[in-house]
Amino acid sequence: MEKGKILLRWGIMLIASLFLFSACGAGAYDASGYVKSMLDTQTQGKYDQYIELTESTKKDAEDLYNKTIEAQMDAIDVDALSDELSGKYEELFKKIFKKTKYTVGEAKKGDDDSFTVPVEIETLQLFEGVEENMAAFQEELTAELMAQMVEDGTVPDDQELNERAFQHLYDYLNEKVENPTYGKKSTVEVKVAKNSDGFYEADQSDLEEIDNKLIDTADSGI
């Protein structure tokens, strides 16, 4: 059986430029609400605060949430899966992001009209043990295929083998999501400042750090 490798890269793909807030009325600016609305929109599918603070439409907010899910679907090449299994993965990704844990603290204003917003994160331990589990699955599958060849001289085609591998991975991850475990708490200090156009936006590197800590990552050989 040809051995492929997929990279399951999990993250919320925070794009600061899509979450710009008017700098008018800076004294009443809600930097904590700004950061929380980004996280809630893209991980929880909760749009109310985002819509209120940005004066965006519900469709705009839904599009941002859907892009988070679509990015994960693209990562596993859903075109190679059956419609049924593809649908299962889409729902799985939604459950995974809803299980992320973060707490947005009170913003502290700096001397230059910028803000620092602490975000406490508990990393979802989603991929712990996945490599070992998939290796064991491959051994079992190889033994099964060898026995089948001896018996009738046939083996499943690549599409069927791919489907079985991704079904097994789905079952494993779904069980992990149903009984989630989390790593130690860590805090990311997110800087929110005016850009050259006079709009507040969060520092992209700080958002990427959140991205990296919300869910653990792993290469999974299939």
Side-chain angles (χ1 to χ4, degrees):
M1 178 177 64
E2 182 179 354
K3 193 175 181 181
K5 196 172 185 72
I6 61 170
L7 173 66
L8 291 178
R9 176 67 177 92
W10 302 82
I12 54 177
M13 296 181 62
L14 292 173
I15 304 173
S17 61
L18 296 181
F19 292 90
L20 300 181
F21 282 50
S22 171
C24 297
Y29 176 70
D30 185 4
S32 293
Y34 163 42
V35 173
K36 187 174 188 303
S37 74
M38 288 192 292
L39 293 170
D40 288 351
T41 296
Q42 292 197 277
T43 66
Q44 310 298 314
K46 297 178 180 179
Y47 314 131
D48 291 348
Q49 188 176 29
Y50 170 76
I51 293 172
E52 178 182 351
L53 291 173
T54 63
E55 298 182 357
S56 298
T57 65
K58 183 178 180 181
K59 183 181 183 304
D60 291 335
E62 289 176 341
D63 285 345
L64 287 172
Y65 175 66
N66 290 335
K67 285 179 180 178
T68 303
I69 306 304
E70 288 170 5
Q72 307 311 318
M73 298 296 283
D74 290 342
I76 64 168
D77 189 16
V78 294
D79 291 338
L81 304 181
S82 66
D83 291 342
E84 179 181 359
L85 187 54
S86 176
K88 287 182 178 180
Y89 266 97
E90 183 174 356
E91 293 305 312
L92 174 64
F93 296 148
K94 292 178 181 179
K95 286 199 296 184
I96 288 171
F97 284 115
K98 288 183 185 296
K99 293 290 186 177
T100 56
K101 283 188 176 182
Y102 52 86
T103 302
V104 180
E106 183 177 352
K108 296 181 180 179
K109 189 173 182 180
D111 296 332
D112 57 353
D113 272 346
S114 67
F115 295 84
T116 300
V117 181
V119 180
E120 186 181 77
I121 301 164
E122 294 181 63
T123 303
L124 176 60
Q125 302 297 303
L126 184 65
F127 289 103
E128 186 176 6
V130 68
E131 293 185 24
E132 295 82 357
N133 182 275
M134 292 306 298
F137 167 76
Q138 287 180 332
E139 290 183 7
E140 293 175 2
L141 182 59
T142 299
E144 178 185 329
L145 295 177
M146 291 180 65
Q148 183 175 335
M149 281 195 67
V150 171
E151 181 178 349
D152 58 22
T154 65
V155 293
D157 59 25
D158 289 344
Q159 183 175 357
E160 181 178 344
L161 292 175
N162 187 67
E163 186 83 359
R164 289 183 62 178
F166 273 97
Q167 178 65 57
H168 180 84
L169 179 62
Y170 167 84
D171 292 337
Y172 178 82
L173 294 178
N174 190 56
E175 183 177 349
K176 296 274 284 189
V177 173
E178 292 297 331
N179 302 281
T181 58
Y182 298 86
K184 294 181 179 179
K185 294 180 181 180
S186 60
T187 300
V188 176
E189 300 283 346
V190 181
K191 184 174 182 178
V192 180
K194 295 178 186 177
N195 62 19
S196 59
D197 295 320
F199 290 91
Y200 278 108
E201 63 181 353
D203 182 84
Q204 188 66 34
S205 62
D206 295 337
L207 298 181
E208 289 173 357
E209 187 176 355
I210 293 176
D211 182 2
N212 293 332
K213 290 184 175 182
L214 275 177
I215 305 172
D216 66 347
T217 61
D219 286 340
S220 188
I222 292 182

